[in-house]
Every structure is written in structure tokens, then in C-alpha cells.
Amino acid sequence: MYLNCHSFHSLRYGTIPLQDLVEQAVLFGVTAMALTDINTVTGIYDFYKACKAVNIKPLVGIDFRNEGKQLYIGLAKNRKGIAEMNRLLTKHNFENTPLPTQAPNFENTIILYPFDNIPESLNDNEFIGIAPEQLPKLYNYVWKRKMDKMVILQTVTYRTKKEYNLHKILRAIDLNILGSKLTDTDYCKVSHVMIPMEKLIEKYSDYPQIIENTKSILEVCHFDYDFNTPKNKKHYTTNQKDDSALLTKLAYEGMIRRYGSNNPEAKARVEKELKVINELEFSGYFLITWDIVRYSISQGFLHIGRGSGANSIIAYCLDITNICPLELDLYFERFLNVNRKSPPDFDIDWSWRERDTILDYIFTKYGTDHVAFCGTNVEFKYRSIFREVGKVFGLPKEELDELAKNPMKTHHKNEVVKMVQDYGMLLEKYPNQRSMHSCGIIISEEPITNFTALEMPPKGYPIVQFDMHVAEDIGFDKFDILSQRGIGHIDDTVKLIKQNQGIEVDIRDTSLSKDEKICNQLLSEGKTIGCFYIESPAMRGLLRRLKCDTYKVLVAASSIIRPGVAQSGMMKEYIFRHNYPDRFDYFHEVFKEQLGETYGIMVYQEDVIKIALHYGGLPAADGDILRRAMSGKGRSKAALQKVKDNFFTSCKKQGHPEQLSQEIYRQIESFAGYSFCKAHSASYAVESYQSLYLKTYYPIEFMTAVINNFGGFYRTEVYVHEARMSGAKIHNPCINRSAYQTTVYGKNVYLGFQHLKSLDVKTAELMVTERQENGKYASLEDFINRVPIGIEGIQILIFIGAFRFTGKPKNELLILARLILINFKPEHRHLTLLQEPVKEYKLPVIERSPFEDAFDEIELLDFPVSVTPFNLLQTNYRGDVMARDLTKHHKKTVRMLAYLISRKQVPTKRGDMYFGTWIDAEGEFFDTAHFADCLQKYPFKGGGCYLLLGQVEVDYHFPTITISKMEKMPFIPDPRYSATDEKRFQTQQQIREDVSMTHRAPYPQEHEINLPRQKMKQD
């Protein structure tokens, strides 16, 4: 009898989570009900499954509204009905036009009109919804004679009085107004709650026909859905047979290209994979992926194939990936097994500049009616909740900032703040808005509107109204089309090398970069700043602890840095076993046999599956459940618990020590959602090697590319420093040498205009275009004549030294610019023959400090270029020890002077600590640890140089200084201001630092884990 129920997917309106809505229906004796969220079908599939599980008949539909005003409710008679409504809603979303006030002539949809929007005549499929409070109107004869078209309309939007208030808060957030400004039409009626079925029927007891009409609608609507049948585009050709033949042909051609014509191991693996792929009818999926990659290669784009699909030799032969599964002994069953219902994941990366070209190809090739991005529900998050709810209660900005930035326990204790907290916490995990999944694309066999309405975000690609989990549930396997700055680094470097040195580097040839001797030496020393995935302080520290100097060790390192492996204590154990391979026993013979390459440590997702199958004795189907859980896709806690129970039962039957089985399952659990499959790690390792190779042999071009892509772990200043350390001479932007991006001429690197924070983008681009079309600028006057720019823009360029080619000092250029612009008329621009020369003025020589330019640079770029930060210190002291000598000072206390690069907050049981990354006066990097008690006395005070005192700890070849004292060192006063001006110390506050936060529970300490290094005996 409930034909209009809203869940919290009615964004910023409904307050009831889907599962809770169904549970309430069970409690109230409901046997059939409809989910009709406002202008969305986001929840219909989860709702359908939840209803079926408790024997409630699910009806699905849409509550159509224009700017909050209800027009009509649509209920699907069948799947065709939901498709009809989806198309109407999609048209509304795409064209940004109002929905029609009367429903179109639907063939498979029941329409219910509210009392205030009834058309003059009703079609056979159209009815009038009448709420209990509207029943007195039926005493009017006009309405009474329409009773044959009336149905029960008991809308459901909230559950309790508190949720009613929450509903009002949501409405105020949606309308961006104070709660006190809401009017009756902005929110639902108090009566919009679910009540027991007998009470609802009793309200309509005087009108049995209305009850019968409602029952008829419940009977005529049958929305059934098959969750087991794949919904992706089935075939690349026209049928499975042709797909299979084409895939086989391409696979064997690729095999010969990759392995030669006489490699029985490769041939056997190709045959094995093709057999399973064709049995599971995944040929079309592989071919579509191949087609996308083939187009990319034809355009000269560089791509990286990752994901579990990279375990496949077929993917390697089709150039989808660059990972040889034979070389790395990649586990076939992680990529594909007969229990798997969905194809393997292919995550394919392109440069951020080229991804849109790939997307355009996919949407054009496979049709806009059949291609869309997955959606995602953006939830109310901690900070945004208190800000949004606080605004509803009218709190000022200062208080909103206080609530958003600080933990709840530190908030003011007053009645309003308490309400903000109470209602804010109710909203946690509620969806706030729909957005586009970052990379997941659906390519559908049927038009996508058969399954969902589409929305068109500003990005310009349609999105479905459900997320990737629902997509997978209902039979869609997404294609992950990603962009990545690391590929931009590689691609741009190759182009810069050709442009700057005339050398062509075939970086796609992985044999060029993988296991190259000098690269491996730098890798083992952690000299990897700018290189994809291996430049963070944590990763560089890991590389040094492992003395990582081979491809296979780098593959392992790429995975053990992940939270799952680190949290379980297995990262530390791997480091120990790698450095001391003769000082441990394998947990069990199975670990030696299956995980010998990684010293018996579970490092990859497939390692977990191997141990579950070969040690635990679990069936392959349970292994697949574990695979899904580790990929973050398994949403069934019950299924995972069953696997756990089976594991211990099976281990006991095999006579394994219970203590060991408990420890092994603890390690297995830690992997869930936080680990890589081996092929994924290998893909990262290959890309890391490509970056490192370019950095090793073409460092200036490489660092220029990193600077231009803005995509590394660190800020631009760090990469400028690294370019200088690589032998580059760094120049400030110059109007005759610089482009919008940073450019390189030989060993000279000219920073791009894009780094000037205050310079307008269009002006910067126009300056370059004008120079390219009409030649270099002869003087300041010539520049002003040719480029439309105001005095503010001119001043920025003068202060950064962009006119230094004129030989005139900055103060003279500033006066000259003002004199020119006083009499300058824009309409005379480019009329050079008619212009009189600018009058020359004899100006007094003004003494300049050599450091004035550095402070100009800090103001405009956030960092100095002409000198290092050390040159700006008041002291000449540079520390007692340099970073290169730290390994010689194990357990010794050292005093160092260093420039702060970055710091990372890490939670511990004793409070937050930080890891710091610094450079010394010689430009070398080193790392520090700052524990909570030390930070209380000696906190970080922003970017700049610090005097550090601490004890050196050398952990497996990697030195870290545990800080006991530190203090920020003062810069010289800014010489651009007088001795009494307070601004003398302001500019240096712009010196930046990179700060990253860690949002997780503290890792357990080593003694709490107590990993066994010797075999355990059976009790």
C-alpha cells in the first residue's frame, strides 16, 4: 500500500537508509511497497534485493519533481517501464529543461498524480493519489465521481521526530538557506511516515474502492531483474565464435612478436588462457580493451596497463600490458578462474593530457547510448557536515571554521553546538551528492537508459545514477580509463630529449630501462625524486633498507609498502628476511614451496589465495571470495565469515598448529582492500624503471617534465632543486626565453610563466603567442605596445626579472613602465611606425642588496631561485654533519642545519608523531622522526630552515635522526623594506612545506604482533 517511499538517495530530502526502510516495512506488516526516490533510480537494485530477502514485493519508480514541486509519481510495470522513465529523466538532465507538468504517454508505467496537479483527463495508466488527510475532500461530488481513479498515497520520507528535524536541516542545506527561512512548501508534511498496515487500511475503510484500486496497481507492477546475466557489450565482432577466432589470431601473432616462434612455455600458457577466456565468454571484453589500446598506440600515446588482467599472457601479447607473466611467474588463477563471474580488471593509464582523446574515441566508437561513467555517491564527510549543519543554525564563519577543523571534543559546549554535533553525526555516511567515478566506464549491450537515468556533470561525459558496486551487482564490468601524471613525466621527457638533444628514446622498450646497472645503483640509494611511485620518503626509505637493485625486488617493494602488508607487520619481517636470509625458518613447508621468492611472506593478493588453498585447504570458490575482499569489492561480511570458519575447520583437520593458523589468518585479514596483485605491482615497477632511466641519463629534461606536470609527491620547488642538483642552471621567467610551461635549452632551464601566482593565464599565453608570431621583444616599450597588459602584470614581470635582457635595473623599469602607460592609448597598439620614442630619463643609481631578488622570488614563486634558502639565514653555521655521512654516526647525537621539505603525520598509541624530510646545505636529502613528547616542546613552525639535534638510527642501511630538539632559524630581514618596517619578516612566512596526514588507526607495535621466525610445533 506504500506507493511513494523515499530513501536517503532522495538527496538532501529523504532520511532513511535503504536497508532501514525495508526493515521498518517488515515491522509494520508491509507485503508490497514502492521505492520512488526523487528524480533518481540510484537505490532500486539494492532495494529490490533487500525486499526479496524478506518476501516483500518490490515496486520501483521515480517521484518526478521540478525544483521541489511534485509533478507525478511513476511506477514501473516491468523493466520497460523503468526504461521509459529513465529516458524522460535523462532528457531533463541533459537539456537542463523543466520536466513536463503532465507525464508523457508511457506504455509500461503507472502514473500517480498528487491532488494539486491533476490533469483534466486521465489515461488508463494514470491515477490520482490521495493522502489520508485529503479524504475529507471526497465529500465534494466533483471528486467523489473520480474515485475509480484514486489510490492510497501514504508518502514515506522520515521515521522519527528527530529525523523530521534532520529532514528540515537537509532541505535548508539543499536550498542554502538558514533553517529559520524554510517555508511549508520547502519540506515534507508531518504525516509522511510509515504506519502499521492495519492502521493505514483503517484510514481508508470508508472507501473500499480506493483500497482495491491500490491493490490492483500492486498486482499489475512486476519489476523483475536477473542479476546473474552479464549486461556488458557482449561481442566486439557480431558473435562469440568470431570474437574467439579474432582473439586467438591476435594472441598468437602477439606471442610470436613477444617470444619468437619457438617458445613452448609461452604457447602452453596462451592455449590455457584462451581456453578459459572462451569458456567464460570474456573474449569480447578482451577485444574491446585491445581496441582501445590499439587506437592509443596509433595516436602515438603511451599507456600503462595494470590490474589483475596484467597477470595474463594474452594481455601481454595484445599490448594491453607490458608485464611478462612467465618472467615473474604470475599466478594465472588470480587473473582468471572458473569460479570468477566477472572479467579481470584492466586499469589503463594515460597521460592526463591524452585521456580525454581516449574517452572521446570510446564514446564515439561504442555509441553515447551505450557508454557512460559509473557514478559515485559523495557522502557527508566530517568537516563538511559541521560546516553545512552549522550554517543552517546561523553560526558565523569563524565558528564554522572552528567546528570543521577541530575534533569534536574541543568544540565549545553550548546548546547550538550540541545540536550541530547531534544532527551532524546523524548525517555521517549519508549521500550528499552524486558525482562521476574517477575512471570506471560502462559499455552496455542494451541502451544504458534501460537500467538507469543518466546525468551530465560539467566534465561533459554522462554518468549513471549508481556506483561501481551496484554496477557489478547488476551485471556490468567497468573499464578503468585513468589519467596519471607519471606517464606525462615520461612522455614529455622523451619529447624534450628529442627537442633539446636530437636523441630519440624508445621508452616503450622496457628492456632498455629494466635492470639497467646505473639505474639499479641509484634505486638502491633511494635517489628517485620525481620517479613515479618510488619518490615518497617512505618508499625511498624502503628502497634503501632493501638495497633494492633488481626488478623483482622492486616489484615486491611496490606491494609491501601498501597498508595491508605494513599493518600486519609483514613489511618489517620481509625487510629482515631479505637482509638476513639465513636467520629464519619458513612458517610451514607450504610457505617455502609457494612463497619462496618472498621468503615465505605474503606480499601479493595471490599469495593470500595460494596460502588459503594450499595451507588452509580451502576450495577455489573460497579463494575467489578472498580475492574480492582484497580488491575492496567483497561487500558480504557473512560470506567472508564463512570462509574464515572454513579455514580454521580445514586447518584443524590437516593437523596444523592452531596458534600458527591463527597467526596466518591474522595476516590474511590484514590484506583486505589494502594490497596489490603481483601484476599490478609489476606494472608500477616497470613505470618506475622507465622514470628512473630517464632521470639517470637525461636528468634535466626529466625534471623539467616533472615540473611541467605538477603531479609528483612534492611541490615544484623540490623538483627545481633536483634539476639544479642534476646540473641545470635555473633561470627566472624571461619574456624572450620562457614559455607558459618551463622550457629547457641545453642545460639552461627557464621557469614557465605558469609559476607566477598572480599573473593572469590568458595574458601569459598571449605573451608567448605574440613572440612566436612576431619575434622577440626588443624592449619594455615594445612589449607594452604588443601585449595588452596592465601595470599590475607589468610589475609582476619586472619584479621576477623577466626584462633583465634590457640591462636596466628593476626600479628604472618600474618608473619607465608607469611613464609609458600614462600616455599609452590601446588603439595605437602595433602602430610602431607612428610612435615617438620614449623619452630617456637620467635616474639616480639606487643601491640594491644582492638578496632583494630572492625575496621578490619568494613573493611571486613561493621559493628563491637566485640563491638557496641557506643563503638567506642570519647565521653562517651549516651544521656539524652532512647527510652523506649519517650512516657513519649510528647511535650518535648529531647537530644539523636543514631546510624542511615535507612532513608526514602518523598516529601512534602515544599520540601523533611526524616523519620529516629535509635537505642539508649540500642539497642532499635526509629523514627525521619526531615523537609526540618532543613535538610538544619543539613543534614544527612552518616552512624554512631548522637547527636539529637528535640521535642517528641506521636501520638496515637507512639512517633516520630521532629528534630531541629543534628550532626554526630566522632569515635576514627583507632588504626591500626599511629597518623599522614590520614587513621585513613577512615574506619569509611564504616559504612552504609539504604536509600529509594519515587517517588510520595506529599500527600495532612489533612486540604486539610477535611474528614467529621458527616453525611452530603441533601441540
Side-chain angles (χ1 to χ4, degrees), residues 908-929:
T908 73
K909 291 184 177 178
R910 295 183 179 180
D912 288 349
M913 69 168 291
Y914 277 90
F915 289 107
T917 299
W918 311 75
I919 57 171
D920 66 12
E922 292 180 348
E924 295 293 330
F925 289 82
F926 69 95
D927 296 85
T928 56

PDB file of all heavy atoms in Angstrom, residues 908-929:
ATOM      1  N   THR A 908      50.135   7.186  16.489  1.00  0.00           N
ATOM      2  CA  THR A 908      50.680   6.113  17.305  1.00  0.00           C
ATOM      3  C   THR A 908      49.851   6.042  18.584  1.00  0.00           C
ATOM      4  O   THR A 908      49.061   6.940  18.879  1.00  0.00           O
ATOM      5  CB  THR A 908      52.156   6.348  17.681  1.00  0.00           C
ATOM      6  OG1 THR A 908      52.220   7.391  18.667  1.00  0.00           O
ATOM      7  CG2 THR A 908      52.980   6.742  16.475  1.00  0.00           C
ATOM      8  N   LYS A 909      50.048   5.008  19.360  1.00  0.00           N
ATOM      9  CA  LYS A 909      49.279   4.851  20.600  1.00  0.00           C
ATOM     10  C   LYS A 909      49.667   5.902  21.636  1.00  0.00           C
ATOM     11  O   LYS A 909      48.941   6.139  22.590  1.00  0.00           O
ATOM     12  CB  LYS A 909      49.469   3.443  21.153  1.00  0.00           C
ATOM     13  CG  LYS A 909      48.798   2.399  20.259  1.00  0.00           C
ATOM     14  CD  LYS A 909      48.882   1.002  20.834  1.00  0.00           C
ATOM     15  CE  LYS A 909      48.131   0.038  19.919  1.00  0.00           C
ATOM     16  NZ  LYS A 909      48.203  -1.367  20.401  1.00  0.00           N
ATOM     17  N   ARG A 910      50.812   6.527  21.448  1.00  0.00           N
ATOM     18  CA  ARG A 910      51.254   7.572  22.375  1.00  0.00           C
ATOM     19  C   ARG A 910      50.973   8.970  21.841  1.00  0.00           C
ATOM     20  O   ARG A 910      51.487   9.957  22.355  1.00  0.00           O
ATOM     21  CB  ARG A 910      52.753   7.413  22.642  1.00  0.00           C
ATOM     22  CG  ARG A 910      53.095   6.122  23.380  1.00  0.00           C
ATOM     23  CD  ARG A 910      54.571   6.053  23.694  1.00  0.00           C
ATOM     24  NE  ARG A 910      54.920   4.852  24.425  1.00  0.00           N
ATOM     25  CZ  ARG A 910      56.142   4.542  24.825  1.00  0.00           C
ATOM     26  NH1 ARG A 910      57.150   5.375  24.542  1.00  0.00           N
ATOM     27  NH2 ARG A 910      56.387   3.431  25.478  1.00  0.00           N
ATOM     28  N   GLY A 911      50.199   9.061  20.784  1.00  0.00           N
ATOM     29  CA  GLY A 911      49.903  10.357  20.178  1.00  0.00           C
ATOM     30  C   GLY A 911      50.495  10.470  18.785  1.00  0.00           C
ATOM     31  O   GLY A 911      51.219   9.575  18.334  1.00  0.00           O
ATOM     32  N   ASP A 912      50.184  11.566  18.123  1.00  0.00           N
ATOM     33  CA  ASP A 912      50.668  11.755  16.754  1.00  0.00           C
ATOM     34  C   ASP A 912      52.171  12.017  16.738  1.00  0.00           C
ATOM     35  O   ASP A 912      52.700  12.764  17.563  1.00  0.00           O
ATOM     36  CB  ASP A 912      49.962  12.940  16.093  1.00  0.00           C
ATOM     37  CG  ASP A 912      48.515  12.611  15.753  1.00  0.00           C
ATOM     38  OD1 ASP A 912      48.150  11.426  15.839  1.00  0.00           O
ATOM     39  OD2 ASP A 912      47.765  13.536  15.411  1.00  0.00           O
ATOM     40  N   MET A 913      52.854  11.401  15.774  1.00  0.00           N
ATOM     41  CA  MET A 913      54.254  11.706  15.524  1.00  0.00           C
ATOM     42  C   MET A 913      54.385  12.167  14.081  1.00  0.00           C
ATOM     43  O   MET A 913      53.426  12.088  13.309  1.00  0.00           O
ATOM     44  CB  MET A 913      55.137  10.480  15.779  1.00  0.00           C
ATOM     45  CG  MET A 913      54.965   9.354  14.784  1.00  0.00           C
ATOM     46  SD  MET A 913      56.250   8.081  14.910  1.00  0.00           S
ATOM     47  CE  MET A 913      57.685   8.984  14.319  1.00  0.00           C
ATOM     48  N   TYR A 914      55.557  12.664  13.726  1.00  0.00           N
ATOM     49  CA  TYR A 914      55.813  13.102  12.352  1.00  0.00           C
ATOM     50  C   TYR A 914      57.124  12.499  11.852  1.00  0.00           C
ATOM     51  O   TYR A 914      58.075  12.311  12.619  1.00  0.00           O
ATOM     52  CB  TYR A 914      55.922  14.627  12.263  1.00  0.00           C
ATOM     53  CG  TYR A 914      54.593  15.335  12.173  1.00  0.00           C
ATOM     54  CD1 TYR A 914      53.922  15.734  13.318  1.00  0.00           C
ATOM     55  CD2 TYR A 914      54.002  15.599  10.934  1.00  0.00           C
ATOM     56  CE1 TYR A 914      52.697  16.388  13.247  1.00  0.00           C
ATOM     57  CE2 TYR A 914      52.781  16.248  10.855  1.00  0.00           C
ATOM     58  CZ  TYR A 914      52.130  16.635  12.011  1.00  0.00           C
ATOM     59  OH  TYR A 914      50.920  17.277  11.929  1.00  0.00           O
ATOM     60  N   PHE A 915      57.126  12.203  10.558  1.00  0.00           N
ATOM     61  CA  PHE A 915      58.375  11.914   9.864  1.00  0.00           C
ATOM     62  C   PHE A 915      58.685  13.128   8.997  1.00  0.00           C
ATOM     63  O   PHE A 915      57.822  13.595   8.244  1.00  0.00           O
ATOM     64  CB  PHE A 915      58.253  10.657   9.001  1.00  0.00           C
ATOM     65  CG  PHE A 915      58.159   9.383   9.788  1.00  0.00           C
ATOM     66  CD1 PHE A 915      56.970   8.690   9.879  1.00  0.00           C
ATOM     67  CD2 PHE A 915      59.272   8.893  10.458  1.00  0.00           C
ATOM     68  CE1 PHE A 915      56.875   7.520  10.613  1.00  0.00           C
ATOM     69  CE2 PHE A 915      59.198   7.716  11.198  1.00  0.00           C
ATOM     70  CZ  PHE A 915      57.996   7.023  11.282  1.00  0.00           C
ATOM     71  N   GLY A 916      59.906  13.635   9.107  1.00  0.00           N
ATOM     72  CA  GLY A 916      60.296  14.818   8.333  1.00  0.00           C
ATOM     73  C   GLY A 916      61.291  14.458   7.242  1.00  0.00           C
ATOM     74  O   GLY A 916      62.086  13.532   7.378  1.00  0.00           O
ATOM     75  N   THR A 917      61.226  15.188   6.134  1.00  0.00           N
ATOM     76  CA  THR A 917      62.205  15.053   5.058  1.00  0.00           C
ATOM     77  C   THR A 917      62.840  16.422   4.839  1.00  0.00           C
ATOM     78  O   THR A 917      62.135  17.432   4.750  1.00  0.00           O
ATOM     79  CB  THR A 917      61.548  14.562   3.758  1.00  0.00           C
ATOM     80  OG1 THR A 917      60.973  13.274   3.990  1.00  0.00           O
ATOM     81  CG2 THR A 917      62.559  14.449   2.629  1.00  0.00           C
ATOM     82  N   TRP A 918      64.172  16.442   4.750  1.00  0.00           N
ATOM     83  CA  TRP A 918      64.932  17.694   4.724  1.00  0.00           C
ATOM     84  C   TRP A 918      66.024  17.622   3.671  1.00  0.00           C
ATOM     85  O   TRP A 918      66.373  16.537   3.206  1.00  0.00           O
ATOM     86  CB  TRP A 918      65.618  17.927   6.077  1.00  0.00           C
ATOM     87  CG  TRP A 918      64.744  17.764   7.270  1.00  0.00           C
ATOM     88  CD1 TRP A 918      64.300  16.588   7.809  1.00  0.00           C
ATOM     89  CD2 TRP A 918      64.203  18.809   8.089  1.00  0.00           C
ATOM     90  NE1 TRP A 918      63.523  16.829   8.917  1.00  0.00           N
ATOM     91  CE2 TRP A 918      63.444  18.190   9.115  1.00  0.00           C
ATOM     92  CE3 TRP A 918      64.300  20.199   8.079  1.00  0.00           C
ATOM     93  CZ2 TRP A 918      62.789  18.916  10.113  1.00  0.00           C
ATOM     94  CZ3 TRP A 918      63.638  20.927   9.064  1.00  0.00           C
ATOM     95  CH2 TRP A 918      62.890  20.287  10.056  1.00  0.00           C
ATOM     96  N   ILE A 919      66.577  18.806   3.326  1.00  0.00           N
ATOM     97  CA  ILE A 919      67.843  18.831   2.575  1.00  0.00           C
ATOM     98  C   ILE A 919      68.853  19.637   3.383  1.00  0.00           C
ATOM     99  O   ILE A 919      68.490  20.597   4.071  1.00  0.00           O
ATOM    100  CB  ILE A 919      67.701  19.421   1.148  1.00  0.00           C
ATOM    101  CG1 ILE A 919      67.118  20.832   1.184  1.00  0.00           C
ATOM    102  CG2 ILE A 919      66.898  18.510   0.254  1.00  0.00           C
ATOM    103  CD1 ILE A 919      67.163  21.531  -0.162  1.00  0.00           C
ATOM    104  N   ASP A 920      70.116  19.192   3.311  1.00  0.00           N
ATOM    105  CA  ASP A 920      71.162  19.934   4.006  1.00  0.00           C
ATOM    106  C   ASP A 920      71.749  20.996   3.072  1.00  0.00           C
ATOM    107  O   ASP A 920      71.283  21.162   1.929  1.00  0.00           O
ATOM    108  CB  ASP A 920      72.241  18.987   4.538  1.00  0.00           C
ATOM    109  CG  ASP A 920      73.024  18.278   3.430  1.00  0.00           C
ATOM    110  OD1 ASP A 920      72.898  18.664   2.243  1.00  0.00           O
ATOM    111  OD2 ASP A 920      73.760  17.323   3.743  1.00  0.00           O
ATOM    112  N   ALA A 921      72.770  21.693   3.547  1.00  0.00           N
ATOM    113  CA  ALA A 921      73.349  22.802   2.780  1.00  0.00           C
ATOM    114  C   ALA A 921      74.008  22.341   1.493  1.00  0.00           C
ATOM    115  O   ALA A 921      74.233  23.137   0.579  1.00  0.00           O
ATOM    116  CB  ALA A 921      74.346  23.566   3.647  1.00  0.00           C
ATOM    117  N   GLU A 922      74.328  21.035   1.391  1.00  0.00           N
ATOM    118  CA  GLU A 922      74.890  20.492   0.157  1.00  0.00           C
ATOM    119  C   GLU A 922      73.793  20.025  -0.800  1.00  0.00           C
ATOM    120  O   GLU A 922      74.085  19.563  -1.903  1.00  0.00           O
ATOM    121  CB  GLU A 922      75.810  19.313   0.494  1.00  0.00           C
ATOM    122  CG  GLU A 922      77.058  19.738   1.237  1.00  0.00           C
ATOM    123  CD  GLU A 922      77.977  18.565   1.582  1.00  0.00           C
ATOM    124  OE1 GLU A 922      77.531  17.395   1.448  1.00  0.00           O
ATOM    125  OE2 GLU A 922      79.138  18.809   1.959  1.00  0.00           O
ATOM    126  N   GLY A 923      72.539  20.131  -0.350  1.00  0.00           N
ATOM    127  CA  GLY A 923      71.423  19.764  -1.220  1.00  0.00           C
ATOM    128  C   GLY A 923      70.998  18.314  -1.133  1.00  0.00           C
ATOM    129  O   GLY A 923      70.137  17.870  -1.894  1.00  0.00           O
ATOM    130  N   GLU A 924      71.577  17.543  -0.191  1.00  0.00           N
ATOM    131  CA  GLU A 924      71.256  16.121  -0.060  1.00  0.00           C
ATOM    132  C   GLU A 924      70.059  15.926   0.878  1.00  0.00           C
ATOM    133  O   GLU A 924      69.897  16.629   1.873  1.00  0.00           O
ATOM    134  CB  GLU A 924      72.463  15.348   0.476  1.00  0.00           C
ATOM    135  CG  GLU A 924      73.665  15.341  -0.464  1.00  0.00           C
ATOM    136  CD  GLU A 924      73.399  14.548  -1.741  1.00  0.00           C
ATOM    137  OE1 GLU A 924      72.615  13.587  -1.697  1.00  0.00           O
ATOM    138  OE2 GLU A 924      73.978  14.920  -2.796  1.00  0.00           O
ATOM    139  N   PHE A 925      69.235  14.894   0.571  1.00  0.00           N
ATOM    140  CA  PHE A 925      68.045  14.601   1.368  1.00  0.00           C
ATOM    141  C   PHE A 925      68.392  13.720   2.571  1.00  0.00           C
ATOM    142  O   PHE A 925      69.262  12.855   2.500  1.00  0.00           O
ATOM    143  CB  PHE A 925      67.007  13.865   0.516  1.00  0.00           C
ATOM    144  CG  PHE A 925      66.350  14.734  -0.519  1.00  0.00           C
ATOM    145  CD1 PHE A 925      66.970  14.983  -1.742  1.00  0.00           C
ATOM    146  CD2 PHE A 925      65.104  15.302  -0.293  1.00  0.00           C
ATOM    147  CE1 PHE A 925      66.369  15.778  -2.700  1.00  0.00           C
ATOM    148  CE2 PHE A 925      64.506  16.103  -1.243  1.00  0.00           C
ATOM    149  CZ  PHE A 925      65.128  16.346  -2.455  1.00  0.00           C
ATOM    150  N   PHE A 926      67.665  13.935   3.669  1.00  0.00           N
ATOM    151  CA  PHE A 926      67.728  13.004   4.800  1.00  0.00           C
ATOM    152  C   PHE A 926      66.400  13.065   5.551  1.00  0.00           C
ATOM    153  O   PHE A 926      65.553  13.926   5.290  1.00  0.00           O
ATOM    154  CB  PHE A 926      68.916  13.292   5.718  1.00  0.00           C
ATOM    155  CG  PHE A 926      68.816  14.581   6.496  1.00  0.00           C
ATOM    156  CD1 PHE A 926      68.312  14.603   7.787  1.00  0.00           C
ATOM    157  CD2 PHE A 926      69.246  15.785   5.930  1.00  0.00           C
ATOM    158  CE1 PHE A 926      68.237  15.790   8.507  1.00  0.00           C
ATOM    159  CE2 PHE A 926      69.163  16.980   6.633  1.00  0.00           C
ATOM    160  CZ  PHE A 926      68.655  16.983   7.936  1.00  0.00           C
ATOM    161  N   ASP A 927      66.223  12.144   6.503  1.00  0.00           N
ATOM    162  CA  ASP A 927      64.915  11.988   7.154  1.00  0.00           C
ATOM    163  C   ASP A 927      65.031  12.024   8.677  1.00  0.00           C
ATOM    164  O   ASP A 927      66.062  11.647   9.245  1.00  0.00           O
ATOM    165  CB  ASP A 927      64.277  10.673   6.713  1.00  0.00           C
ATOM    166  CG  ASP A 927      63.966  10.659   5.228  1.00  0.00           C
ATOM    167  OD1 ASP A 927      64.871  10.323   4.426  1.00  0.00           O
ATOM    168  OD2 ASP A 927      62.842  11.015   4.862  1.00  0.00           O
ATOM    169  N   THR A 928      63.930  12.469   9.301  1.00  0.00           N
ATOM    170  CA  THR A 928      63.891  12.572  10.768  1.00  0.00           C
ATOM    171  C   THR A 928      62.596  11.966  11.295  1.00  0.00           C
ATOM    172  O   THR A 928      61.606  11.832  10.569  1.00  0.00           O
ATOM    173  CB  THR A 928      63.950  14.044  11.208  1.00  0.00           C
ATOM    174  OG1 THR A 928      62.869  14.766  10.571  1.00  0.00           O
ATOM    175  CG2 THR A 928      65.276  14.686  10.846  1.00  0.00           C
ATOM    176  N   ALA A 929      62.637  11.616  12.596  1.00  0.00           N
ATOM    177  CA  ALA A 929      61.436  11.149  13.297  1.00  0.00           C
ATOM    178  C   ALA A 929      61.202  12.057  14.494  1.00  0.00           C
ATOM    179  O   ALA A 929      62.137  12.378  15.239  1.00  0.00           O
ATOM    180  CB  ALA A 929      61.617   9.704  13.744  1.00  0.00           C
TER     181      ALA A 929
END
